[in-house]
Amino acid sequence: MATPRRALPGPFSGLSVKLIATIVVVILAVEVVIYLPSAASYRLNWLDDRLRVGIVAARVLDAVPDAMDLPRVLTDRLLTSAGAQAIVYRREGQSQLIDFEDAQPLTDVVTVDLRQRDIATMVLGTLDTLFMGGDRTLRIVGTEDAQPERIVEVIMPETPMRADLLIYSRNLFVLSIILAVITSVVLYFIVSRILIAPIRRLTFNMMGYREAPENASLIVAPSRRRDEIGIMERELAAMESNIFSMLRQRRHLADLGLAVAKINHDLRNTLTSAQLLSDQVATLDDPKVQRLAPRLVNSIDKAIGFAQSVLDYGRQSATPPRPAPVRLQAMIQESALEAGLAGHPGIRWVNAVPDSAEIEADPDQLGRIFVNLLKNAREALEAKLAELEDPMVETRFAREADRVTLTVSDNGPGLPPRARDNLFVAFEGSARAGGTGLGLAIARELVEAHGGHLSHVDQPQGTRFDVVLPTSLRTA
Ligand SMILES: Nc1ncnc2c1ncn2[C@@H]1O[C@H](COP(=O)(O)OP(=O)(O)OP(=O)(O)O)[C@@H](O)[C@H]1O
Ligand SMILES: [Mg+2]
């Protein structure tokens, strides 16, 4: 395989890296969304646990008429097991409190009411603990499920809860990272196999094939996949085969064209010798020869003309225009002479191009355009000379901004339908005996090589062609 000229994308711009990055970002984003509710639920459980100890303490208090009667050891143990500084129990308008003997005064109290358990309150509470929490005092308020009118409060420092919440968050974060890495590695291998590897194969193939499109062994071999990639492979293979056969056909045509040009060249030379001979034969006095000679001369002239125009057609497409200042009136006049129009006994010739008109163009090619157009007009008029009142060919000139329009018109019979259908198509456009059908094709090609446009303009009578050319020729 040929080495591709353009390299594949670098390590950080390839599809695989984009894929991994996307997977990791998506997983982390999902984790963030999941994190807050799960942290809130963790905090709720933590608080519920502490409240439950408070409820146990409340039941004990319920059993004795006065909290003061409880042994100090028991109350202290109750408080320690809940991690609490104090427990308050309210029922039917009276409240009871147990706390340590040497209880510290409470500072900076935050109340968490576990009777409000909706997700928004919980999430806000979690955020508050994480970002505002620290050395505050927590007041957990709740009720016993069976007796909602009895309220229990557990008073404790916030620090242990915040520490547990931070550990929980850290674990969750580490877990998310591990999960993201594992998922992206697994996904990467799967996607690599089914997507990226085939795309890389196609990319390599395209780059290699572009370097050597005439090498059929580089045409991609499609797999049997039935998905979009399979379709892409088959389409690419079809496209490459088409390009391959088109290129081969074009090369064959070019070879053939070259051979035809060589044969044609020799043919023209041979015909030219025959023309010399026939000219001499025509001078003989023999009446039979005198009768046949003009036809012979005519046929040979036609054959030479044909050979010459085919040669011209082959040659002209090869040379780009070489710009020079061209005085249009003189150029048109010369073309009319060459086309056998200027000085024609039966046709009036009008050159209405002003003397001052001048553009930048290739003088030879411009001449060839107008010789063809004017010759066509002359030939069309000559064929109908007897029927026409005042046979006339005219060339007019108009200038707009950066372009000029040269109009060649005649008052002849107009384009025959057969010519109209294939106008400007080489070898096809002729509707005249002995015509090659190259004149207009050549003319259009030359006009377009100048960045201009040649068009046939419909007329009620006669024929009109407009040659639009830029005033200065920009060559690439
Ligand atoms: N001014 C015109 N009036 C009437 N018919 C025209 C005129 N110009 C061209 N045509 C028609 O268009 C056809 C194509 O012209 P084109 O110059 O391409 O080929 P051709 O004159 O037949 O052959 P070639 O110019 O190669 O010797 C002509 O055969 C003719 O029938
Ligand atoms: Mg012609």
Side-chain angles (χ1 to χ4, degrees):
M1 199 198 242
T3 34
R5 194 188 299 150
R6 263 186 274 154
L8 279 176
F12 296 109
S13 51
L15 268 184
S16 28
V17 174
K18 284 183 188 152
L19 182 74
I20 292 188
T22 314
I23 294 172
V24 170
V25 167
V26 167
I27 290 179
L28 290 182
V30 170
E31 293 291 352
V32 167
V33 173
I34 290 173
Y35 167 73
L36 279 178
S38 60
S41 136
Y42 175 82
R43 177 170 168 275
L44 183 62
N45 282 339
W46 197 96
L47 293 167
D48 270 342
D49 283 350
R50 299 306 179 278
L51 184 69
R52 219 163 289 133
V53 181
I55 290 170
V56 170
R59 287 203 187 123
V60 173
L61 287 175
D62 224 10
V64 289
D66 190 354
M68 289 305 164
D69 298 343
L70 283 173
R72 195 75 242 173
V73 194
L74 180 64
T75 54
D76 280 3
R77 193 176 297 158
L78 268 174
L79 289 170
T80 319
S81 64
Q85 286 171 339
I87 292 172
V88 181
Y89 177 50
R90 295 181 208 282
R91 63 177 163 185
E92 290 145 17
Q94 48 172 196
S95 64
Q96 283 187 312
L97 168 93
I98 48 172
D99 60 356
F100 287 112
E101 206 163 18
D102 53 349
Q104 304 287 321
L106 300 179
T107 52
D108 204 1
V109 180
V110 270
T111 305
V112 184
D113 191 341
L114 290 182
R115 288 168 299 179
Q116 283 176 3
R117 306 173 78 91
D118 59 294
I119 182 85
T121 314
M122 286 303 135
V123 167
L124 284 177
T126 310
L127 289 174
D128 178 68
T129 310
L130 285 174
F131 294 106
M132 316 295 283
D135 293 333
R136 301 186 298 188
T137 303
L138 208 55
R139 181 164 151 256
I140 310 167
V141 184
T143 56
E144 208 175 331
D145 285 343
Q147 292 158 307
E149 73 287 348
R150 301 187 174 181
I151 296 165
V152 179
E153 287 180 20
V154 178
I155 316 291
M156 60 181 299
E158 193 186 21
T159 324
M161 179 181 78
R162 190 163 178 269
D164 280 356
L165 200 59
L166 285 176
I167 291 172
Y168 174 79
S169 306
R170 191 197 60 202
N171 291 348
L172 203 70
F173 178 71
V174 171
L175 197 74
S176 315
I177 295 283
I178 293 173
L179 213 73
V181 169
I182 293 176
T183 317
S184 52
V185 167
V186 170
L187 270 181
Y188 172 72
F189 277 108
I190 295 174
V191 174
S192 260
R193 258 192 76 81
I194 61 173
L195 220 73
I196 295 181
I199 290 180
R200 280 176 81 90
R201 187 172 84 97
L202 288 180
T203 312
F204 260 122
N205 174 274
M206 280 188 222
M207 292 188 328
Y209 186 76
R210 201 177 73 96
E211 294 291 311
E214 282 170 70
N215 181 351
S217 73
L218 295 184
I219 294 175
V220 73
S223 63
R224 295 236 200 103
R225 296 170 66 130
R226 313 185 77 195
D227 55 8
E228 285 84 347
I229 292 207
I231 296 174
M232 204 155 93
E233 287 173 345
R234 284 189 288 281
E235 288 296 314
L236 181 66
M239 200 171 79
E240 288 177 345
S241 323
N242 282 349
I243 293 178
F244 173 77
S245 39
M246 261 156 58
L247 282 176
R248 191 142 72 172
Q249 201 179 26
R250 200 178 68 175
R251 208 181 53 222
H252 286 189
L253 277 178
D255 291 348
L256 264 179
L258 209 64
V260 168
K262 280 184 186 149
I263 295 169
N264 202 19
H265 188 263
D266 291 351
L267 191 69
R268 192 194 47 178
N269 291 346
T270 322
L271 283 171
T272 314
S273 317
Q275 191 186 32
L276 287 176
L277 275 178
S278 68
D279 284 350
Q280 284 192 0
V281 168
T283 60
L284 295 180
D285 282 342
D286 189 318
K288 234 184 188 168
V289 171
Q290 281 301 320
R291 196 156 42 85
L292 293 175
R295 276 157 69 189
L296 178 66
V297 172
N298 205 357
S299 314
I300 292 179
D301 281 354
K302 262 190 196 159
I304 290 178
F306 180 73
Q308 185 60 48
S309 45
V310 172
L311 270 183
D312 282 353
Y313 183 65
R315 210 171 287 145
Q316 139 170 276
S317 44
T319 43
R322 274 188 291 267
V326 181
R327 303 197 52 177
L328 294 174
Q329 193 196 47
M331 183 275 298
I332 297 277
Q333 195 56 32
E334 240 171 75
S335 306
L337 261 177
E338 199 180 319
L341 196 61
H344 193 284
I347 301 172
R348 189 154 63 86
W349 157 240
V350 181
N351 182 353
V353 179
D355 188 32
S356 59
E358 192 177 293
I359 63 168
E360 281 268 308
D362 185 311
D364 287 343
Q365 297 191 355
L366 222 52
R368 230 177 291 150
I369 295 166
F370 287 96
V371 170
N372 271 310
L373 293 177
L374 296 171
K375 204 167 91 182
N376 280 350
R378 172 180 61 77
E379 284 164 353
L381 289 178
E382 272 175 347
K384 300 275 169 190
L385 222 45
E387 299 156 37
L388 292 167
E389 215 163 82
D390 173 27
M392 185 267 288
V393 181
E394 184 186 32
T395 303
R396 272 174 287 126
F397 168 88
R399 178 190 284 277
E400 307 153 48
D402 57 348
R403 45 188 51 235
V404 297
T405 306
L406 287 152
T407 305
V408 177
S409 53
D410 62 60
N411 57 0
L415 282 182
R418 218 158 66 98
R420 222 174 250 272
D421 292 344
N422 288 306
L423 212 59
F424 305 116
V425 183
F427 300 109
E428 303 271 332
S430 182
R432 149 178 98 68
T436 337
L438 278 177
L440 289 177
I442 289 175
R444 170 171 270 192
E445 220 172 72
L446 292 175
V447 173
E448 283 174 358
H450 278 77
H453 185 67
L454 168 63
S455 54
H456 169 252
V457 183
D458 265 323
Q459 297 261 93
Q461 204 219 327
T463 311
R464 171 177 162 188
F465 284 96
D466 277 5
V467 180
V468 181
L469 290 165
T471 45
S472 62
L473 179 60
R474 282 171 290 274
T475 41

